[in-house]
Amino acid sequence: MENQRNTKQKKFILSILKEADRPISANEIYAKIITDLPKIAKSTIYRNLDALLKQDIIDKYNFNDNETFYLIKPDNDEHRHFIICDDCKKVFDLPSCPLHEIESSIEEEGFIIKEHQIQINGTCKDCAQSLKKQG
Ligand SMILES: [Zn+2]
Ligand SMILES: [Zn+2]
């Protein structure tokens, strides 16, 4: 019984991650899952996310505050970068990775790069406009 329940929880978490087109936080997952599984604990969500990370099914992203965001790994090798709005916490895509050229020049020097991260945060267009309105 216990295992069946665990599988169901994991399936739900995975389907929420698959539907998301941007990284989402454990809190967002919790808010979505609670309508279907009202008894689920946040710790269960974290435990499942950890397991998915270990299985290499999802990636995690850390932005400037200590909240961690999760995204399903793409089928191809293309990695993505994101920008987060400090005000509404919405996550936006960086159109392309600007680091390829820099990486190749570093690798020409013999350095082996394993991964890189880009962190950009600020205020999105919508929030910037409403800030202006408030004066
Ligand atoms: Zn915003
Ligand atoms: Zn990149």
Side-chain angles (χ1 to χ4, degrees):
M1 279 301 275
E2 188 62 22
N3 272 336
Q4 240 173 17
R5 205 179 72 194
N6 287 345
T7 312
K8 194 180 168 194
Q9 291 167 338
K10 194 170 185 176
K11 268 191 190 153
F12 259 99
I13 292 169
L14 207 52
S15 72
I16 289 170
L17 283 158
K18 277 181 183 156
E19 277 166 25
D21 56 352
R22 59 179 181 84
I24 55 172
S25 66
N27 280 329
E28 285 176 281
I29 295 171
Y30 181 74
K32 284 179 198 286
I33 208 168
I34 200 84
T35 51
D36 293 299
L37 302 174
K39 283 181 186 165
I40 196 163
K42 263 190 198 172
S43 57
T44 307
I45 294 174
Y46 282 111
R47 202 177 55 233
N48 276 290
L49 288 169
D50 275 343
L52 291 169
L53 279 169
K54 278 193 193 121
Q55 288 166 39
D56 225 19
I57 296 171
I58 58 173
D59 277 325
K60 70 174 177 185
Y61 295 83
N62 287 295
F63 296 102
N64 62 325
D65 45 19
N66 44 22
E67 202 157 10
T68 307
F69 289 77
Y70 303 88
L71 183 74
I72 293 269
K73 278 201 172 186
D75 295 331
N76 51 14
D77 270 348
E78 270 308 301
H79 65 277
R80 294 159 73 187
H81 295 292
F82 301 95
I83 313 171
I84 189 167
C85 170
D86 285 337
D87 296 274
C88 64
K89 307 286 177 196
K90 249 187 228 160
V91 180
F92 300 87
D93 271 295
L94 205 66
S96 64
C97 175
L99 288 183
H100 291 310
E101 247 176 73
I102 301 167
E103 281 202 332
S104 358
S105 71
I106 295 169
E107 278 170 341
E108 270 167 35
E109 304 292 316
F111 194 91
I112 299 163
I113 297 168
K114 285 183 189 146
E115 61 165 16
H116 65 248
Q117 291 184 357
I118 300 174
Q119 187 181 304
I120 302 175
N121 58 284
T123 306
C124 77
K125 202 174 155 189
D126 287 347
C127 289
Q129 270 168 2
S130 62
L131 277 179
K132 260 190 219 158
K133 273 178 209 153
Q134 280 168 21

